[in-house]
Coordinates of all heavy atoms in Angstrom, one line a residue:
M1 N 112.1 -178.8 -116.1 CA 113.3 -179.3 -115.5 C 113.1 -179.3 -114.0 O 113.8 -178.7 -113.2 CB 114.4 -178.3 -115.9 CG 115.7 -178.8 -115.3 SD 117.2 -177.7 -115.5 CE 116.9 -176.8 -117.0
N2 N 112.1 -180.0 -113.5 CA 111.8 -180.1 -112.1 C 112.7 -181.1 -111.4 O 112.6 -182.3 -111.7 CB 110.4 -180.4 -111.9 CG 110.0 -180.4 -110.4 OD1 110.8 -180.4 -109.5 ND2 108.7 -180.4 -110.2
R3 N 113.6 -180.7 -110.5 CA 114.5 -181.6 -109.8 C 113.9 -182.2 -108.6 O 114.5 -183.0 -107.9 CB 115.8 -180.9 -109.5 CG 116.6 -180.4 -110.7 CD 117.7 -179.6 -110.2 NE 118.5 -180.3 -109.3 CZ 119.8 -180.3 -109.3 NH1 120.5 -179.6 -110.1 NH2 120.5 -181.1 -108.4
G4 N 112.7 -181.8 -108.3 CA 112.0 -182.3 -107.0 C 112.6 -181.6 -105.8 O 113.6 -180.9 -105.9
Y5 N 111.9 -181.7 -104.7 CA 112.3 -181.1 -103.5 C 113.3 -181.9 -102.7 O 113.2 -183.1 -102.7 CB 111.1 -180.8 -102.6 CG 110.1 -179.8 -103.3 CD1 109.0 -180.3 -103.9 CD2 110.4 -178.5 -103.3 CE1 108.1 -179.4 -104.6 CE2 109.6 -177.6 -103.9 CZ 108.4 -178.1 -104.6 OH 107.6 -177.2 -105.2
T6 N 114.2 -181.3 -102.1 CA 115.3 -182.0 -101.4 C 115.1 -182.0 -99.9 O 115.9 -182.5 -99.2 CB 116.7 -181.4 -101.7 OG1 116.6 -180.0 -101.3 CG2 117.0 -181.5 -103.2
W7 N 113.9 -181.5 -99.4 CA 113.6 -181.5 -98.0 C 112.2 -181.9 -97.9 O 111.3 -181.7 -98.8 CB 113.9 -180.1 -97.4 CG 113.0 -179.0 -98.0 CD1 111.8 -178.6 -97.5 CD2 113.2 -178.3 -99.1 NE1 111.2 -177.7 -98.2 CE2 112.1 -177.4 -99.3 CE3 114.2 -178.2 -100.1 CZ2 112.0 -176.5 -100.3 CZ3 114.1 -177.3 -101.1 CH2 113.0 -176.4 -101.2
P8 N 111.8 -182.5 -96.8 CA 110.4 -182.9 -96.6 C 109.5 -181.7 -96.4 O 109.8 -180.8 -95.7 CB 110.4 -183.8 -95.3 CG 111.7 -183.3 -94.6 CD 112.6 -182.9 -95.6
L9 N 108.3 -181.7 -97.1 CA 107.4 -180.6 -96.9 C 106.4 -180.9 -95.8 O 106.0 -182.1 -95.6 CB 106.6 -180.5 -98.2 CG 107.4 -180.0 -99.4 CD1 106.5 -180.0 -100.7 CD2 108.0 -178.6 -99.2
N10 N 106.1 -179.9 -95.0 CA 105.1 -180.0 -93.9 C 103.8 -179.4 -94.4 O 103.8 -178.2 -94.6 CB 105.6 -179.4 -92.7 CG 104.7 -179.4 -91.5 OD1 103.5 -179.4 -91.7 ND2 105.3 -179.6 -90.3
S11 N 102.8 -180.1 -94.7 CA 101.5 -179.6 -95.2 C 100.9 -178.6 -94.3 O 100.1 -177.8 -94.8 CB 100.6 -180.7 -95.5 OG 100.2 -181.4 -94.3
E12 N 101.2 -178.6 -93.0 CA 100.6 -177.6 -92.1 C 101.3 -176.2 -92.3 O 100.7 -175.2 -92.0 CB 100.8 -178.1 -90.7 CG 100.1 -177.2 -89.7 CD 100.1 -177.7 -88.3 OE1 100.5 -178.9 -88.1 OE2 99.8 -177.0 -87.3
F13 N 102.6 -176.2 -92.7 CA 103.3 -174.9 -92.7 C 103.9 -174.5 -94.1 O 104.2 -173.3 -94.3 CB 104.5 -175.0 -91.7 CG 104.1 -175.2 -90.3 CD1 104.3 -176.4 -89.7 CD2 103.4 -174.2 -89.6 CE1 103.9 -176.6 -88.4 CE2 103.1 -174.4 -88.3 CZ 103.3 -175.6 -87.7
D14 N 104.1 -175.4 -95.0 CA 104.8 -175.1 -96.2 C 103.8 -174.8 -97.4 O 102.7 -175.5 -97.5 CB 105.7 -176.3 -96.7 CG 106.8 -176.6 -95.7 OD1 107.3 -175.6 -95.1 OD2 107.2 -177.7 -95.5
L15 N 104.2 -173.9 -98.2 CA 103.4 -173.5 -99.3 C 104.3 -173.6 -100.6 O 105.4 -173.1 -100.6 CB 102.9 -172.0 -99.2 CG 102.3 -171.4 -100.4 CD1 100.9 -172.0 -100.7 CD2 102.1 -169.9 -100.2
V16 N 103.8 -174.3 -101.6 CA 104.5 -174.5 -102.8 C 103.7 -173.9 -103.9 O 102.5 -174.3 -104.1 CB 104.8 -176.0 -103.1 CG1 105.4 -176.2 -104.4 CG2 105.6 -176.7 -102.0
L17 N 104.3 -173.0 -104.7 CA 103.7 -172.4 -105.9 C 104.4 -172.9 -107.1 O 105.6 -172.9 -107.2 CB 103.8 -170.9 -105.8 CG 103.1 -170.3 -104.6 CD1 103.4 -168.8 -104.6 CD2 101.6 -170.5 -104.5
E18 N 103.7 -173.4 -108.1 CA 104.3 -173.8 -109.4 C 103.5 -173.1 -110.5 O 102.3 -173.1 -110.5 CB 104.2 -175.3 -109.5 CG 105.0 -176.1 -108.5 CD 105.0 -177.6 -108.7 OE1 104.7 -178.0 -109.8 OE2 105.3 -178.3 -107.7
R19 N 104.3 -172.6 -111.5 CA 103.7 -172.0 -112.7 C 104.5 -172.4 -113.9 O 105.7 -172.6 -113.8 CB 103.7 -170.5 -112.6 CG 102.9 -169.9 -111.4 CD 101.4 -170.1 -111.7 NE 100.6 -169.5 -110.7 CZ 100.1 -170.1 -109.7 NH1 100.3 -171.4 -109.5 NH2 99.3 -169.5 -108.8
V20 N 103.8 -172.6 -115.0 CA 104.5 -172.8 -116.3 C 104.4 -171.5 -117.0 O 103.3 -171.0 -117.3 CB 103.8 -174.0 -117.1 CG1 104.5 -174.1 -118.4 CG2 103.9 -175.3 -116.3
I21 N 105.6 -171.0 -117.4 CA 105.6 -169.7 -118.0 C 106.5 -169.8 -119.3 O 107.6 -170.3 -119.2 CB 106.3 -168.6 -117.1 CG1 105.5 -168.5 -115.8 CG2 106.4 -167.3 -117.8 CD1 106.2 -167.7 -114.7
D22 N 105.9 -169.4 -120.4 CA 106.6 -169.6 -121.7 C 107.6 -168.4 -122.0 O 107.3 -167.6 -122.8 CB 105.6 -169.7 -122.8 CG 106.2 -170.0 -124.1 OD1 107.3 -170.6 -124.2 OD2 105.6 -169.8 -125.2
V23 N 108.6 -168.4 -121.2 CA 109.7 -167.4 -121.3 C 111.0 -168.1 -121.0 O 111.1 -169.1 -120.4 CB 109.5 -166.1 -120.4 CG1 108.3 -165.4 -120.7 CG2 109.5 -166.5 -119.0
P24 N 112.1 -167.5 -121.5 CA 113.4 -168.1 -121.2 C 113.7 -168.2 -119.7 O 113.4 -167.2 -119.0 CB 114.4 -167.1 -121.9 CG 113.6 -166.5 -123.0 CD 112.2 -166.3 -122.4
V25 N 114.3 -169.2 -119.3 CA 114.6 -169.5 -117.9 C 115.4 -168.3 -117.3 O 115.2 -167.9 -116.2 CB 115.3 -170.8 -117.7 CG1 115.8 -171.0 -116.3 CG2 114.4 -172.0 -118.1
D26 N 116.4 -167.8 -118.0 CA 117.2 -166.8 -117.5 C 116.4 -165.5 -117.2 O 116.8 -164.8 -116.2 CB 118.4 -166.5 -118.4 CG 118.0 -166.0 -119.8 OD1 117.0 -166.5 -120.3 OD2 118.8 -165.2 -120.4
L27 N 115.4 -165.2 -117.9 CA 114.5 -164.1 -117.6 C 113.7 -164.3 -116.3 O 113.6 -163.4 -115.5 CB 113.6 -163.7 -118.7 CG 114.3 -163.2 -120.0 CD1 113.2 -162.9 -121.1 CD2 115.1 -162.0 -119.7
V28 N 113.2 -165.5 -116.1 CA 112.5 -165.8 -114.9 C 113.4 -165.7 -113.7 O 113.1 -165.2 -112.7 CB 111.8 -167.2 -115.0 CG1 111.2 -167.6 -113.7 CG2 110.8 -167.3 -116.1
W29 N 114.6 -166.3 -113.9 CA 115.7 -166.2 -112.8 C 115.9 -164.8 -112.4 O 116.0 -164.4 -111.2 CB 116.9 -166.9 -113.3 CG 118.0 -166.9 -112.2 CD1 119.1 -166.1 -112.2 CD2 118.1 -167.8 -111.1 NE1 119.9 -166.4 -111.1 CE2 119.3 -167.4 -110.4 CE3 117.3 -168.8 -110.5 CZ2 119.6 -168.0 -109.2 CZ3 117.6 -169.4 -109.4 CH2 118.8 -169.0 -108.7
A30 N 116.1 -163.9 -113.4 CA 116.4 -162.5 -113.2 C 115.2 -161.8 -112.4 O 115.4 -161.0 -111.5 CB 116.7 -161.7 -114.5
A31 N 114.0 -162.2 -112.8 CA 112.8 -161.6 -112.2 C 112.7 -162.0 -110.7 O 112.2 -161.2 -109.9 CB 111.5 -162.1 -112.9
W32 N 113.2 -163.1 -110.3 CA 113.2 -163.6 -108.9 C 114.4 -163.2 -108.1 O 114.4 -163.2 -106.9 CB 113.0 -165.1 -108.8 CG 111.6 -165.5 -108.9 CD1 110.9 -166.0 -110.0 CD2 110.6 -165.5 -107.8 NE1 109.6 -166.3 -109.6 CE2 109.4 -166.0 -108.3 CE3 110.7 -165.1 -106.5 CZ2 108.3 -166.1 -107.6 CZ3 109.5 -165.2 -105.7 CH2 108.3 -165.7 -106.3
T33 N 115.5 -162.9 -108.8 CA 116.8 -162.7 -108.1 C 117.4 -161.3 -108.1 O 118.5 -161.1 -107.5 CB 117.9 -163.7 -108.6 OG1 118.1 -163.5 -110.0 CG2 117.4 -165.2 -108.4
Q34 N 116.9 -160.4 -108.9 CA 117.4 -159.1 -109.0 C 116.3 -158.1 -108.3 O 115.2 -158.0 -108.8 CB 117.7 -158.7 -110.4 CG 118.8 -159.5 -111.0 CD 119.0 -159.2 -112.5 OE1 118.7 -158.1 -112.9 NE2 119.6 -160.1 -113.2
P35 N 116.7 -157.4 -107.2 CA 115.7 -156.6 -106.5 C 114.9 -155.7 -107.4 O 113.7 -155.5 -107.2 CB 116.6 -155.9 -105.5 CG 117.7 -156.8 -105.2 CD 118.0 -157.4 -106.6
D36 N 115.5 -155.0 -108.3 CA 114.8 -154.0 -109.2 C 113.7 -154.7 -110.0 O 112.6 -154.2 -110.2 CB 115.7 -153.2 -110.1 CG 116.5 -152.2 -109.3 OD1 116.1 -151.9 -108.2 OD2 117.5 -151.8 -109.8
H37 N 114.0 -155.9 -110.5 CA 113.0 -156.7 -111.2 C 111.9 -157.2 -110.3 O 110.7 -157.1 -110.6 CB 113.7 -157.9 -112.0 CG 114.5 -157.5 -113.1 ND1 114.2 -156.6 -114.1 CD2 115.8 -157.9 -113.4 CE1 115.1 -156.5 -114.9 NE2 116.1 -157.3 -114.6
L38 N 112.3 -157.7 -109.2 CA 111.3 -158.3 -108.2 C 110.3 -157.2 -107.8 O 109.1 -157.4 -107.7 CB 112.0 -159.0 -107.1 CG 111.0 -159.8 -106.2 CD1 111.6 -161.2 -106.1 CD2 110.9 -159.1 -104.8
K39 N 110.9 -156.0 -107.5 CA 110.0 -154.9 -107.0 C 109.0 -154.5 -108.1 O 107.9 -154.0 -107.7 CB 110.9 -153.7 -106.7 CG 111.7 -153.9 -105.4 CD 112.8 -152.8 -105.2 CE 112.2 -151.5 -104.8 NZ 113.3 -150.6 -104.4
A40 N 109.3 -154.7 -109.3 CA 108.3 -154.3 -110.4 C 107.1 -155.2 -110.5 O 106.1 -154.8 -111.0 CB 109.1 -154.3 -111.7
W41 N 107.2 -156.5 -110.0 CA 106.0 -157.4 -110.2 C 105.5 -158.1 -109.0 O 104.5 -158.7 -109.0 CB 106.4 -158.4 -111.3 CG 107.4 -159.4 -110.8 CD1 108.8 -159.3 -111.0 CD2 107.2 -160.6 -110.1 NE1 109.4 -160.3 -110.4 CE2 108.5 -161.2 -109.8 CE3 106.1 -161.2 -109.6 CZ2 108.7 -162.3 -109.1 CZ3 106.3 -162.4 -108.9 CH2 107.6 -163.0 -108.6
Y42 N 106.2 -158.1 -107.9 CA 106.0 -159.0 -106.7 C 104.6 -158.8 -106.1 O 104.1 -159.8 -105.5 CB 107.1 -158.8 -105.7 CG 107.2 -159.9 -104.7 CD1 107.5 -161.2 -105.0 CD2 106.9 -159.6 -103.4 CE1 107.5 -162.2 -104.1 CE2 107.0 -160.6 -102.4 CZ 107.3 -161.9 -102.8 OH 107.3 -162.9 -101.8
C43 N 104.0 -157.7 -106.1 CA 102.7 -157.5 -105.5 C 101.8 -156.8 -106.5 O 102.3 -156.0 -107.3 CB 102.8 -156.9 -104.1 SG 103.5 -155.3 -104.1
P44 N 100.5 -157.0 -106.3 CA 99.5 -156.3 -107.3 C 99.4 -154.8 -107.0 O 99.4 -154.4 -105.8 CB 98.2 -157.1 -107.0 CG 98.3 -157.6 -105.6 CD 99.8 -157.9 -105.4
R45 N 99.2 -154.1 -108.1 CA 99.0 -152.6 -107.9 C 97.6 -152.4 -107.4 O 96.7 -153.3 -107.6 CB 99.1 -152.0 -109.3 CG 100.5 -151.9 -109.8 CD 100.6 -151.1 -111.0 NE 102.0 -150.8 -111.3 CZ 102.8 -151.5 -112.2 NH1 102.2 -152.4 -113.0 NH2 104.0 -151.2 -112.4
P46 N 97.3 -151.5 -106.6 CA 98.2 -150.3 -106.3 C 99.2 -150.5 -105.2 O 99.8 -149.5 -104.8 CB 97.1 -149.2 -105.9 CG 96.1 -150.0 -105.3 CD 96.0 -151.3 -106.0
W47 N 99.4 -151.7 -104.7 CA 100.4 -152.0 -103.7 C 101.8 -151.9 -104.4 O 101.8 -152.0 -105.7 CB 100.2 -153.3 -103.1 CG 99.1 -153.4 -102.2 CD1 97.8 -153.3 -102.4 CD2 99.2 -153.6 -100.8 NE1 97.1 -153.4 -101.3 CE2 97.9 -153.6 -100.3 CE3 100.3 -153.9 -99.9 CZ2 97.6 -153.8 -98.9 CZ3 100.0 -154.1 -98.6 CH2 98.7 -154.0 -98.1
S48 N 102.8 -151.7 -103.7 CA 104.2 -151.7 -104.2 C 105.2 -152.3 -103.3 O 104.8 -152.6 -102.1 CB 104.6 -150.3 -104.5 OG 104.7 -149.5 -103.3
V49 N 106.4 -152.6 -103.8 CA 107.5 -153.1 -102.9 C 108.4 -151.9 -102.7 O 109.0 -151.4 -103.7 CB 108.2 -154.3 -103.6 CG1 109.4 -154.7 -102.7 CG2 107.2 -155.5 -103.8
S50 N 108.5 -151.4 -101.5 CA 109.3 -150.3 -101.2 C 110.7 -150.6 -100.9 O 111.6 -149.7 -101.0 CB 108.7 -149.5 -100.0 OG 108.7 -150.3 -98.9
D51 N 111.0 -151.9 -100.5 CA 112.4 -152.2 -100.2 C 112.5 -153.7 -100.5 O 111.6 -154.5 -100.3 CB 112.7 -151.9 -98.7 CG 114.2 -152.0 -98.4 OD1 115.0 -151.8 -99.3 OD2 114.5 -152.3 -97.3
C52 N 113.7 -154.1 -100.9 CA 114.0 -155.5 -101.2 C 115.5 -155.8 -101.0 O 116.3 -155.1 -101.4 CB 113.6 -155.8 -102.7 SG 113.9 -157.5 -103.2
E53 N 115.7 -156.9 -100.3 CA 117.1 -157.4 -100.1 C 117.1 -158.9 -100.4 O 116.4 -159.7 -99.8 CB 117.6 -157.1 -98.7 CG 119.0 -157.6 -98.4 CD 119.5 -157.4 -97.0 OE1 118.7 -156.9 -96.2 OE2 120.6 -157.8 -96.7
L54 N 118.0 -159.3 -101.3 CA 118.2 -160.7 -101.6 C 119.6 -161.1 -101.5 O 120.5 -160.5 -102.1 CB 117.7 -160.9 -103.1 CG 116.3 -160.4 -103.5 CD1 116.1 -160.6 -105.0 CD2 115.3 -161.1 -102.7
D55 N 119.9 -162.2 -100.8 CA 121.2 -162.7 -100.6 C 121.2 -164.2 -101.1 O 120.8 -165.1 -100.3 CB 121.6 -162.7 -99.1 CG 123.0 -163.2 -98.9 OD1 123.8 -163.6 -99.8 OD2 123.4 -163.3 -97.7
L56 N 121.5 -164.4 -102.3 CA 121.3 -165.7 -103.0 C 122.4 -166.7 -102.6 O 123.3 -167.0 -103.3 CB 121.4 -165.5 -104.5 CG 120.2 -164.7 -105.1 CD1 120.5 -164.4 -106.6 CD2 118.9 -165.4 -104.9
R57 N 122.1 -167.3 -101.4 CA 122.9 -168.4 -101.0 C 122.1 -169.2 -99.9 O 121.2 -168.6 -99.3 CB 124.3 -168.0 -100.4 CG 124.1 -167.1 -99.2 CD 125.4 -166.5 -98.7 NE 125.2 -165.5 -97.7 CZ 125.0 -165.8 -96.4 NH1 125.1 -167.0 -96.0 NH2 124.8 -164.8 -95.5
P58 N 122.3 -170.4 -99.7 CA 121.6 -171.1 -98.6 C 121.8 -170.4 -97.3 O 122.9 -170.1 -96.9 CB 122.3 -172.5 -98.6 CG 122.7 -172.7 -100.0 CD 123.2 -171.4 -100.5
G59 N 120.7 -170.1 -96.6 CA 120.7 -169.4 -95.4 C 120.7 -167.9 -95.6 O 120.6 -167.1 -94.7
G60 N 120.8 -167.4 -96.9 CA 120.8 -166.0 -97.2 C 119.4 -165.4 -97.1 O 118.4 -166.1 -97.1
I61 N 119.3 -164.1 -96.9 CA 118.0 -163.4 -96.7 C 117.2 -163.2 -97.9 O 117.8 -162.9 -99.0 CB 118.3 -162.1 -95.9 CG1 117.1 -161.5 -95.3 CG2 119.0 -161.1 -96.9 CD1 117.3 -160.4 -94.4
F62 N 115.9 -163.3 -97.8 CA 114.9 -162.9 -98.8 C 114.0 -161.9 -98.0 O 113.2 -162.3 -97.2 CB 114.1 -164.0 -99.3 CG 113.1 -163.6 -100.4 CD1 113.4 -163.7 -101.7 CD2 111.8 -163.2 -100.0 CE1 112.4 -163.3 -102.6 CE2 110.9 -162.8 -100.9 CZ 111.2 -162.9 -102.2
R63 N 114.2 -160.6 -98.2 CA 113.4 -159.6 -97.4 C 112.8 -158.6 -98.4 O 113.4 -158.1 -99.3 CB 114.3 -158.9 -96.5 CG 113.6 -157.9 -95.6 CD 114.5 -157.1 -94.7 NE 115.6 -156.4 -95.4 CZ 115.5 -155.3 -96.0 NH1 114.3 -154.7 -96.1 NH2 116.5 -154.7 -96.6
T64 N 111.5 -158.4 -98.2 CA 110.7 -157.4 -99.0 C 109.9 -156.6 -98.0 O 109.5 -157.1 -96.9 CB 109.8 -158.0 -100.0 OG1 108.8 -158.9 -99.4 CG2 110.6 -158.8 -101.1
T65 N 109.6 -155.4 -98.4 CA 108.6 -154.6 -97.6 C 107.6 -154.2 -98.6 O 107.9 -153.5 -99.6 CB 109.3 -153.4 -97.0 OG1 110.3 -153.8 -96.1 CG2 108.3 -152.5 -96.2
M66 N 106.3 -154.6 -98.4 CA 105.2 -154.2 -99.2 C 104.6 -152.9 -98.7 O 104.4 -152.8 -97.5 CB 104.2 -155.3 -99.3 CG 104.7 -156.5 -100.0 SD 103.4 -157.7 -100.2 CE 104.4 -159.1 -100.7
R67 N 104.2 -152.0 -99.6 CA 103.5 -150.8 -99.2 C 102.1 -150.7 -99.7 O 101.9 -150.9 -100.9 CB 104.3 -149.6 -99.7 CG 103.7 -148.2 -99.2 CD 104.6 -147.1 -99.7 NE 105.8 -147.1 -98.9 CZ 107.0 -146.6 -99.3 NH1 107.0 -146.1 -100.6 NH2 108.0 -146.6 -98.6
S68 N 101.2 -150.4 -98.8 CA 99.8 -150.3 -99.2 C 99.5 -149.0 -99.9 O 100.4 -148.1 -99.8 CB 98.9 -150.4 -98.0 OG 98.9 -149.2 -97.2
P69 N 98.4 -148.8 -100.6 CA 98.1 -147.5 -101.2 C 98.1 -146.4 -100.2 O 98.3 -145.2 -100.6 CB 96.8 -147.7 -101.9 CG 96.7 -149.2 -102.1 CD 97.4 -149.8 -100.9
E70 N 97.8 -146.7 -98.9 CA 97.7 -145.7 -97.9 C 99.1 -145.4 -97.3 O 99.2 -144.6 -96.4 CB 96.7 -146.2 -96.8 CG 95.3 -146.3 -97.2 CD 95.1 -147.6 -98.0 OE1 95.8 -148.6 -97.8 OE2 94.2 -147.6 -98.9
G71 N 100.1 -146.1 -97.7 CA 101.4 -145.9 -97.2 C 101.8 -146.8 -96.0 O 103.0 -146.6 -95.5
Q72 N 101.0 -147.7 -95.6 CA 101.3 -148.6 -94.5 C 102.3 -149.6 -95.1 O 102.1 -150.2 -96.2 CB 100.1 -149.3 -94.0 CG 100.3 -150.0 -92.7 CD 99.0 -150.6 -92.2 OE1 97.9 -150.5 -92.7 NE2 99.1 -151.2 -91.0
E73 N 103.3 -150.0 -94.3 CA 104.3 -150.9 -94.8 C 104.2 -152.3 -94.0 O 104.0 -152.3 -92.8 CB 105.7 -150.3 -94.6 CG 105.9 -149.1 -95.6 CD 107.3 -148.8 -95.9 OE1 108.2 -149.0 -95.0 OE2 107.6 -148.3 -97.0
F74 N 104.5 -153.3 -94.8 CA 104.4 -154.7 -94.3 C 105.7 -155.5 -94.6 O 105.9 -155.9 -95.8 CB 103.2 -155.4 -94.9 CG 101.9 -154.8 -94.6 CD1 101.4 -153.7 -95.3 CD2 101.1 -155.2 -93.5 CE1 100.2 -153.1 -95.0 CE2 99.9 -154.6 -93.2 CZ 99.4 -153.6 -93.9
P75 N 106.6 -155.6 -93.6 CA 107.8 -156.3 -93.9 C 107.6 -157.8 -94.0 O 106.7 -158.4 -93.3 CB 108.7 -156.0 -92.7 CG 107.8 -155.5 -91.7 CD 106.5 -155.0 -92.3
N76 N 108.3 -158.5 -94.8 CA 108.3 -159.9 -95.0 C 109.8 -160.4 -95.0 O 110.6 -159.8 -95.7 CB 107.7 -160.3 -96.4 CG 106.3 -159.8 -96.5 OD1 105.4 -160.4 -95.9 ND2 106.1 -158.7 -97.2
L77 N 110.0 -161.4 -94.2 CA 111.4 -161.9 -94.1 C 111.4 -163.4 -94.2 O 110.6 -164.2 -93.7 CB 111.9 -161.6 -92.7 CG 113.4 -162.0 -92.3 CD1 114.4 -161.3 -93.3 CD2 113.7 -161.7 -90.9
G78 N 112.4 -163.9 -95.0 CA 112.6 -165.3 -95.2 C 114.0 -165.6 -95.5 O 114.9 -164.7 -95.5
C79 N 114.3 -166.9 -95.7 CA 115.7 -167.2 -96.1 C 115.7 -168.3 -97.2 O 114.7 -169.0 -97.3 CB 116.5 -167.7 -94.9 SG 116.1 -169.3 -94.3
Y80 N 116.7 -168.4 -97.9 CA 116.9 -169.4 -99.0 C 117.3 -170.7 -98.4 O 118.2 -170.7 -97.5 CB 117.9 -168.9 -100.0 CG 117.4 -167.7 -100.8 CD1 117.9 -166.4 -100.5 CD2 116.6 -167.9 -101.9 CE1 117.4 -165.4 -101.3 CE2 116.1 -166.8 -102.6 CZ 116.6 -165.5 -102.3 OH 116.2 -164.5 -103.1
L81 N 116.7 -171.8 -98.7 CA 117.1 -173.1 -98.3 C 118.1 -173.7 -99.3 O 119.0 -174.4 -98.9 CB 115.9 -174.0 -98.1 CG 114.8 -173.5 -97.2 CD1 113.6 -174.5 -97.2 CD2 115.4 -173.4 -95.8
E82 N 117.9 -173.4 -100.5 CA 118.7 -174.0 -101.6 C 118.8 -173.0 -102.7 O 117.7 -172.4 -103.1 CB 118.1 -175.3 -102.0 CG 118.9 -176.1 -103.1 CD 118.3 -177.4 -103.4 OE1 117.0 -177.5 -103.5 OE2 119.1 -178.3 -103.6
V83 N 119.9 -172.8 -103.4 CA 120.0 -172.0 -104.5 C 120.8 -172.7 -105.6 O 121.9 -173.2 -105.4 CB 120.8 -170.7 -104.2 CG1 121.0 -169.8 -105.4 CG2 120.1 -169.9 -103.1
I84 N 120.1 -172.9 -106.7 CA 120.7 -173.5 -107.9 C 120.4 -172.6 -109.1 O 119.2 -172.4 -109.5 CB 120.0 -174.9 -108.2 CG1 120.2 -175.9 -107.0 CG2 120.6 -175.5 -109.5 CD1 119.5 -177.2 -107.1
P85 N 121.4 -171.9 -109.6 CA 121.2 -170.9 -110.6 C 120.4 -171.4 -111.8 O 120.6 -172.5 -112.3 CB 122.6 -170.5 -111.0 CG 123.4 -170.7 -109.8 CD 122.8 -171.9 -109.1
N86 N 119.4 -170.5 -112.2 CA 118.5 -170.8 -113.3 C 117.6 -172.0 -113.1 O 117.0 -172.5 -114.0 CB 119.3 -170.9 -114.6 CG 119.7 -169.5 -115.1 OD1 119.1 -168.5 -114.9 ND2 120.9 -169.5 -115.7
E87 N 117.6 -172.5 -111.9 CA 116.7 -173.6 -111.5 C 115.8 -173.4 -110.3 O 114.6 -173.6 -110.3 CB 117.5 -175.0 -111.4 CG 118.0 -175.5 -112.6 CD 118.7 -176.8 -112.4 OE1 118.1 -177.6 -111.6 OE2 119.7 -177.1 -113.1
R88 N 116.5 -173.0 -109.2 CA 115.8 -172.9 -107.9 C 116.5 -171.9 -107.0 O 117.7 -172.0 -106.8 CB 115.7 -174.3 -107.3 CG 115.2 -174.2 -105.9 CD 115.0 -175.6 -105.3 NE 114.4 -176.5 -106.3 CZ 114.4 -177.8 -106.3 NH1 115.1 -178.4 -105.3 NH2 113.9 -178.5 -107.2

């Protein structure tokens, strides 16, 4: 159910990841939109996600903090450009 992108991509700055996963769409949506679920899988072990904030609306925050095995933390900050439940 790919609706295509609604904004122009800049090949110098934009990264697009696509995967085909044989699971119900609502479970994939939950994995990306619920902090406890996202923290469980978002980075490879032995790294972890120590903090996560998601505000599911255009302009809303996508913030994670990844923690190295040595305890060093790496904050990541982004925002949602478009939110379509169970799609994007």
Side-chain angles (χ1 to χ4, degrees):
M1 181 186 332
N2 186 345
R3 296 176 55 142
Y5 296 99
T6 58
W7 63 93
L9 294 176
N10 180 323
S11 61
E12 186 176 349
F13 299 109
D14 294 328
L15 172 67
V16 176
L17 301 175
E18 294 183 21
R19 298 288 183 265
V20 176
I21 303 170
D22 188 20
V23 295
V25 171
D26 59 325
L27 292 180
V28 176
W29 181 257
W32 275 102
T33 62
Q34 295 177 22
D36 287 341
H37 290 311
L38 191 125
K39 287 169 74 171
W41 68 267
Y42 194 65
C43 60
R45 289 187 168 103
W47 286 66
S48 63
V49 175
S50 60
D51 193 30
C52 179
E53 179 183 0
L54 308 174
D55 180 5
L56 292 173
R57 61 185 174 83
I61 195 169
F62 180 96
R63 182 180 57 76
T64 59
T65 302
M66 295 183 192
R67 181 177 291 151
S68 74
E70 298 77 29
Q72 190 175 6
E73 295 201 329
F74 297 85
N76 300 284
L77 180 62
C79 72
Y80 293 98
L81 301 177
E82 182 177 38
V83 177
I84 302 172
N86 287 326
E87 290 186 36
R88 175 174 315 158

